[in-house]
C-alpha cells in the first residue's frame, strides 16, 4: 500500500531569495539570515526537501504573491533549479499583507 506523505515547512526568509521577477537569487550575497549566503540558504532548503522526501509540502513564509511577484512561479522555478520531484505549486489563501 502506498501512502501519501505530507509535510509543512516554515522556511524563514524564503521570499528574500527571489527578485521581483520571481528569479531565484542563489548567489554569494548575504541572505536575510545572519552569516549565510543566499546560495547556501537555497541549497539547504533544497536539501531538507530532498531529505524529508514528502509528496506534498505546505510552505509557510513562501515567496510573496501580488502584482509584482508570483508565489507559484517562484516555487516552481526553485524546484526546477534544484531538480526537485515536487515540481508543481498551488496557491492557497492569499494574504493581502
Amino acid at each position: 500500500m502506498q501512502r501519501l506523505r505530507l509535510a509543512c515547512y516554515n522556511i524563514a526568509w524564503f521570499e528574500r531569495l527571489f527578485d521581483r521577477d520571481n528569479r531565484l537569487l542563489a548567489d554569494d550575497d548575504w541572505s536575510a539570515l545572519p552569516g549565510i549566503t543566499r546560495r547556501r540558504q537555497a541549497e539547504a532548503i533544497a536539501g531538507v526537501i530532498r531529505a524529508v522526501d514528502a509528496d506534498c509540502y505546505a510552505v509557510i513564509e513562501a515567496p510573496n504573491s501580488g502584482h509584482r511577484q508570483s508565489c507559484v512561479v517562484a516555487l516552481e522555478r526553485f524546484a526546477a533549479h534544484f531538480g526537485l520531484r515536487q515540481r508543481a505549486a498551488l496557491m492557497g489563501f492569499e494574504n493581502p499583507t
Side-chain angles (χ1 to χ4, degrees):
M1 169 193 263
Q2 288 188 324
R3 296 178 190 236
L4 180 64
R5 291 176 41 113
L6 305 175
C8 181
Y9 191 5
N10 186 331
I11 306 174
W13 301 108
F14 194 24
E15 79 283 355
R16 300 291 272 300
L17 296 181
F18 299 89
D19 68 11
R20 290 179 181 240
D21 295 316
N22 308 299
R23 290 182 298 234
L24 179 63
L25 302 171
D27 56 24
D28 292 322
D29 285 345
W30 297 114
S31 78
L33 298 172
I36 303 293
T37 65
R38 293 187 292 207
R39 178 185 324 281
R40 189 164 175 204
Q41 182 184 3
E43 289 170 348
I45 293 165
V48 169
I49 290 171
R50 281 193 192 102
V52 173
D53 197 32
D55 298 305
C56 179
Y57 286 87
V59 178
I60 312 306
E61 293 191 48
N64 296 315
S65 204
H67 67 281
R68 294 186 183 182
Q69 289 182 299
S70 169
C71 178
V72 170
V73 172
L75 290 175
E76 289 179 350
R77 287 182 178 175
F78 182 86
H81 179 85
F82 287 104
L84 301 175
R85 70 179 185 90
Q86 303 84 356
R87 62 187 177 276
L90 299 171
M91 176 76 180
F93 174 73
E94 189 171 327
N95 185 333
T97 63

